[in-house]
């Protein structure tokens, strides 16, 4: 796990190595300075040797300057390495998410992936920065200061050796209890992010139903849960610091007591005692820094695990990038296809689907909510993988295509229409990045979008804002249809994508499809029978199965479900 995470240091490996090297120089200066100070006191001040004091004083100043320079370089190298590491890690996570199928995203949830890309990566970045500095500085300082302290006075050294087991016990207690609490805290962050995302997406609904107060109260509850989880995790760290300081200051007080008596008796020189106290401070500070490093590691371990879960996740759909298979036409065949969102054959969304659609055919799909109409068509471009059976497109199993090739041949306008920040033209060119202005206008005219676009002051250069907030639901649907048409696909799937437009516009779009997409296989999922009644064939679905197939007239004769839907819509229209 750690090897996988650390492999993303990449080109910042040089800074990650230079940081501990400069830290070695900083530590060397800091360890030597107390010895110089002791020599100044014992050999200069006591003997009144001004020349010696001046010479050694200049040396000590130079060593302090070198220590400062090494420290500044170490700080810069560690910051560059940590930030670069976080950038690479975040980029790797994002690339991994882009490779996920719908099933993988469903597994983690959008909110959780957002937390992992932000909060978790920041935790790991902070831990890495501390690691490249403290993981080298503290042990080196501990070893060097211990050697110098023992050389100064072996008997007094026994005091801080007794402090080490106490600090070790504090670390063990914190590590044992903190990790599960930080895991719980991060899950609470997921819940809070999910709530924020849900509210921002559905802000218009919240306003329409005047539910601001209710949503504020729910969010307050979410933030309260985060606070409580964070407090439960952090209080161990908060309590750990005073305990470590207690041990540290108690050790120094003990050394001052026994060292002072030894100095009075002449068993230790005053300068040596002064340097010894400084070394003890360095030793105990190193131990405390190592303790903090362990605690930070515990805090970040939960984040590391969550990041590793994403990086190690295998995409549910395997892409064969080297495949040269291309669709010969727009034919589609479902051969005994079953599908489950949970890979559980006892819980199927689609069951034993057998269906053949000829190239250039227009097929409508009708069915009640939950009849798995969308699930059926999502198998065509491999947004999900069939659990059993085969889906054949253009004469080849969809598993034989590279995903790019397959999805370039299949244009799909999803139920949830999504536009991105940028101009109308930028969004339309998702269908074809090289589309000319004439091709864009032609696609928009076919989708009945050209007129309302030209109604904007800036026309096709109008900025849509985040998620297309500047256009209505019907306008958004027509822009998404135009975007799909620009792909010039062999198969186009409209998944209830004209539900927000009026019947006249719907009819105009279908007329344009018949005239301009005569050779394109068209699949239309709709709730309105008027949207599919002139299709070559209409598929009636219920409970994840195909119950009937036929033309409008045939289904009126043989399909009770179709007839009931038609009668209810006609009755509503007459009323």
């Amino acid at each position: 796990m750690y090897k996988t995470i650390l492999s993303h240091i990449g080109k910042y490996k040089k800074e990650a190595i230079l940081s501990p090297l400069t830290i070695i120089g900083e530590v060397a200066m800091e360890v030597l300075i107390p010895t110089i100070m002791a020599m100044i006191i014992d050999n200069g001040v006591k003997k009144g040797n001004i020349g010696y004091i001046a010479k050694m004083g200049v040396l000590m100043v130079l060593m302090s300057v070198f220590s400062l320079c090494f420290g500044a370089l170490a700080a810069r190298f560690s910051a560059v390495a940590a930030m670069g590491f976080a950038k690479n890690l975040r980029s790797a996570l994002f690339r991994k998410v882009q490779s996920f199928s719908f099933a993988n995203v469903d597994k983690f949830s959008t909110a959780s992936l957002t937390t992992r890309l932000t909060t978790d990566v920041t935790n790991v970045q902070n831990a890495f920065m501390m690691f490249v500095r403290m993981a080298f500085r503290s042990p080196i300082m501990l070893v060097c200061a211990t050697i110098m302290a023992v050389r100064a006075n072996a008997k007094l050294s026994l005091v801080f050796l007794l402090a080490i087991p106490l600090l070790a016990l504090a670390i063990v207690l914190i590590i044992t209890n903190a990790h599960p609490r930080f895991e719980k805290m991060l899950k609470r962050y997921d819940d809070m992010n999910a709530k924020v995302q849900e509210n921002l997406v559905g802000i218009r609904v919240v306003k329409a139903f005047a539910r601001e107060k209710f949503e504020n109260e729910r969010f307050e509850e979410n933030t309260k849960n985060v606070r409580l989880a964070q407090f439960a995790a952090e209080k161990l760290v908060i309590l750990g610091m005073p305990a470590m300081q207690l041990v540290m200051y108690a050790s120094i007080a003990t050394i001052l007591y026994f060292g002072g008596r030894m100095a009075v008796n002449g068993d230790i020189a005053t300068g040596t005692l002064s340097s010894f106290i400084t070394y003890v401070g360095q030793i105990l500070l190193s131990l405390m820094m190592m303790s903090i490093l362990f605690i930070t590691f515990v805090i970040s371990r939960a984040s590391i695990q969550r990041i590793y879960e994403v990086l190690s996740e295998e995409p549910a759909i395997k892409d064969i990038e080297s495949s040269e298979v291309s669709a010969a036409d727009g034919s589609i065949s479902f051969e005994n296809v079953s599908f489950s969102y949970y890979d559980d054959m006892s819980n199927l969304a689609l069951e034993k689907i057998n269906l053949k659609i000829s190239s250039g055919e227009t097929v409508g799909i009708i069915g009640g909510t939950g009849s798995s109409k969308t699930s059926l068509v999502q198998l065509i471009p491999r947004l999900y993988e069939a659990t059993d059976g085969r889906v054949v497109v253009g004469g080849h199993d969809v598993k034989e295509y590279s995903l790019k090739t397959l999805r370039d041949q299949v244009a799909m306008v999803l139920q949830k229409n999504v536009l991105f920040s940028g101009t109308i033209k930028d969004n339309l060119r998702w269908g074809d990045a090289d589309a000319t202005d004439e091709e864009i206008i032609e696609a928009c005219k076919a989708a009945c979008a050209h007129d309302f676009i030209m109604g904007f002051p800036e026309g096709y250069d109008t900025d849509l804002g985040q998620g297309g907030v500047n256009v209505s639901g019907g306008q958004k649907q027509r822009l998404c249809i135009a975007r799909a048409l620009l792909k010039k696909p062999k198969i186009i799937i409209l998944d209830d994508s004209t539900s927000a437009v009026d019947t006249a516009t719907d009819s105009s779009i279908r007329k344009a499809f018949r005239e301009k997409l005569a050779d394109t296989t068209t699949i239309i999922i709709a709730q309105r029978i008027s949207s599919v009644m002139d299709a070559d064939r209409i598929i009636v679905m219920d409970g994840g199965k195909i119950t009937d197939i036929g033309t409008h007239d045939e289904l009126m004769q043989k399909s009770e479900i179709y007839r009931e839907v038609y009668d209810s819509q006609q009755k509503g229209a007459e009323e």
Side-chain angles (χ1 to χ4, degrees):
M1 177 172 72
Y2 299 107
K3 184 178 179 181
T4 300
I5 300 296
L6 291 173
S7 66
H8 293 93
I9 296 173
K11 66 178 183 180
Y12 299 97
K13 194 178 294 182
K14 180 180 74 174
E15 285 81 1
I17 294 171
L18 286 173
S19 179
L21 289 178
T22 49
I23 282 170
I24 292 172
E26 181 188 16
V27 169
M29 296 298 103
E30 288 185 7
V31 169
L32 290 173
I33 284 172
T35 299
I36 302 298
M37 177 63 75
M39 292 168 66
I40 290 173
I41 294 172
D42 293 335
N43 300 329
V45 175
K46 280 189 175 182
K47 296 178 180 179
N49 189 339
I50 302 301
Y52 183 83
I53 294 172
K55 183 176 68 174
M56 299 305 289
V58 170
L59 177 61
M60 191 166 72
V61 169
L62 288 173
M63 292 174 71
S64 299
V65 171
F66 278 117
S67 177
L68 176 65
C69 293
F70 282 131
L73 286 171
R76 185 184 186 282
F77 288 139
S78 63
V80 171
M83 291 177 187
F85 170 57
K87 183 206 76 171
N88 290 344
L89 190 58
R90 197 172 275 119
S91 297
L93 277 169
F94 191 78
R95 285 195 301 272
K96 189 70 175 186
V97 171
Q98 291 297 311
S99 73
F100 282 172
S101 69
F102 282 14
N104 296 111
V105 177
D106 293 343
K107 174 182 174 181
F108 287 103
S109 85
T110 305
S112 180
L113 289 171
T114 301
T115 305
R116 293 170 202 241
L117 275 159
T118 52
T119 304
D120 287 323
V121 172
T122 300
N123 287 342
V124 174
Q125 173 187 334
N126 293 336
F128 180 78
M129 184 184 292
M130 184 171 283
F131 176 81
V132 294
R133 297 192 69 184
M134 297 302 174
F136 291 90
R137 177 187 175 84
S138 298
I140 294 170
M141 176 71 80
L142 177 64
V143 172
C144 293
T146 300
I147 292 170
M148 299 300 286
V150 171
R151 283 184 60 190
N153 194 294
K155 289 182 180 180
L156 279 177
S157 301
L158 295 173
V159 175
F160 65 79
L161 292 177
L162 294 174
I164 294 175
L166 294 175
L167 287 173
L169 178 62
I171 294 171
V172 170
L173 289 174
I174 291 170
I175 290 175
T176 304
N177 293 282
H179 178 64
R181 298 189 185 193
F182 278 101
E183 282 187 322
K184 184 178 179 181
M185 181 192 77
L186 291 169
K187 287 178 182 177
R188 291 285 183 268
Y189 267 113
D190 287 350
D191 296 338
M192 184 179 71
N193 282 341
K195 190 62 194 168
V196 171
Q197 181 188 28
E198 183 180 61
N199 261 265
L200 292 177
V201 171
I203 190 67
R204 286 175 171 77
V205 178
V206 174
K207 296 289 184 184
F209 283 86
R211 298 285 280 179
E212 293 92 342
K213 183 179 178 181
F214 174 75
E215 290 300 326
N216 283 335
E217 289 172 354
R218 287 181 66 187
F219 187 72
E220 287 285 341
E221 185 65 25
N222 282 123
T223 55
K224 179 183 176 183
N225 290 335
V226 171
R227 182 184 67 82
L228 292 174
Q230 195 168 18
F231 177 74
E234 295 282 0
K235 69 180 180 182
L236 288 174
V237 180
I238 294 169
L239 291 172
M241 187 62 68
M244 294 173 194
Q245 289 178 334
L246 177 64
V247 173
M248 178 178 173
Y249 294 133
S251 300
I252 291 174
T254 304
I255 288 167
L256 285 172
Y257 174 75
F258 288 107
R261 294 186 64 178
M262 292 173 70
V264 170
N265 296 331
D267 296 330
I268 186 171
T270 305
T272 303
L273 177 61
S274 175
S275 66
F276 185 86
I277 292 170
T278 304
Y279 286 130
V280 170
Q282 290 178 347
I283 291 166
L284 294 175
L285 186 62
S286 298
L287 288 170
M288 194 162 67
M289 288 299 102
M290 288 175 69
S291 303
I292 294 171
L293 183 63
F294 278 115
I295 293 166
T296 304
F297 175 74
V298 170
I299 294 172
S300 63
R301 183 182 163 199
S303 292
I304 290 171
Q305 285 180 331
R306 286 159 55 86
I307 292 170
Y308 180 72
E309 283 175 6
V310 177
L311 293 176
S312 62
E313 175 76 6
E314 287 295 325
I317 294 175
K318 302 292 184 184
D319 188 12
I320 309 173
E321 294 182 6
S322 59
S323 174
E324 297 181 0
V325 172
S326 181
D329 52 35
S331 61
I332 305 167
S333 177
F334 290 84
E335 299 175 3
N336 207 33
V337 171
S338 295
F339 170 69
S340 169
Y341 285 100
Y342 311 102
D343 284 332
D344 181 4
M345 292 301 290
S346 63
N347 185 14
L348 294 174
L350 293 168
E351 185 175 354
K352 304 295 182 183
I353 301 294
N354 287 285
L355 173 66
K356 292 195 177 194
I357 300 173
S358 301
S359 182
E361 189 176 8
T362 297
V363 175
I365 303 179
I366 285 284
T369 302
S371 58
S372 297
K373 305 183 295 296
T374 298
S375 299
L376 178 71
V377 296
Q378 284 181 339
L379 300 181
I380 298 171
R382 285 188 82 193
L383 298 179
Y384 285 98
E385 195 85 276
T387 308
D388 190 34
R390 284 203 324 157
V391 180
V392 178
V393 172
H396 298 278
D397 191 317
V398 291
K399 294 179 181 178
E400 297 175 11
Y401 291 91
S402 71
L403 289 176
K404 185 178 187 310
T405 300
L406 176 62
R407 290 171 185 172
D408 279 344
Q409 303 299 320
V410 181
M412 189 169 184
V413 184
L414 300 169
Q415 274 182 319
K416 185 178 180 182
N417 298 285
V418 177
L419 296 172
F420 297 89
S421 301
T423 65
I424 290 175
K425 192 177 291 184
D426 291 337
N427 272 272
L428 292 172
R429 282 194 168 131
W430 275 63
D432 180 1
D434 300 319
T436 64
D437 290 348
E438 291 74 19
E439 289 173 325
I440 290 173
I441 291 170
E442 184 181 356
C444 288
K445 285 181 177 178
C448 296
H450 178 70
D451 291 341
F452 82 76
I453 292 173
M454 296 309 297
F456 293 124
E458 297 179 28
Y460 284 86
D461 292 317
T462 300
D463 195 318
L464 290 174
Q466 186 176 5
V469 294
N470 301 337
V471 292
S472 68
Q475 290 171 336
K476 191 181 291 187
Q477 285 187 336
R478 283 176 275 171
L479 287 173
C480 290
I481 291 171
R483 182 173 64 188
L485 290 174
L486 276 172
K487 290 181 74 172
K488 299 181 179 65
K490 289 186 170 67
I491 300 167
I492 187 165
I493 301 168
L494 305 180
D495 187 358
D496 207 16
S497 54
T498 56
S499 58
V501 302
D502 58 84
T503 52
T505 303
D506 185 14
S507 178
S508 297
I509 292 172
R510 285 185 282 113
K511 180 181 177 183
F513 272 40
R514 285 194 300 273
E515 293 173 353
K516 298 180 182 296
L517 302 176
D519 298 327
T520 302
T521 304
T522 306
I523 300 175
I524 304 171
I525 297 176
Q527 299 296 331
R528 292 190 300 227
I529 283 183
S530 61
S531 298
V532 297
M533 61 188 301
D534 56 353
D536 298 322
R537 284 189 298 164
I538 302 169
I539 298 167
V540 181
M541 295 190 67
D542 184 44
K545 297 179 181 178
I546 295 176
T547 58
D548 281 295
I549 302 177
T551 63
H552 168 72
D553 293 334
E554 290 171 346
L555 291 174
M556 286 295 292
Q557 295 296 322
K558 67 179 181 178
S559 174
E560 184 178 346
I561 294 174
Y562 187 84
R563 194 164 52 249
E564 285 178 356
V565 174
Y566 178 80
D567 290 342
S568 65
Q569 291 183 5
Q570 285 300 105
K571 183 179 178 181
E574 289 170 3
E575 289 177 353

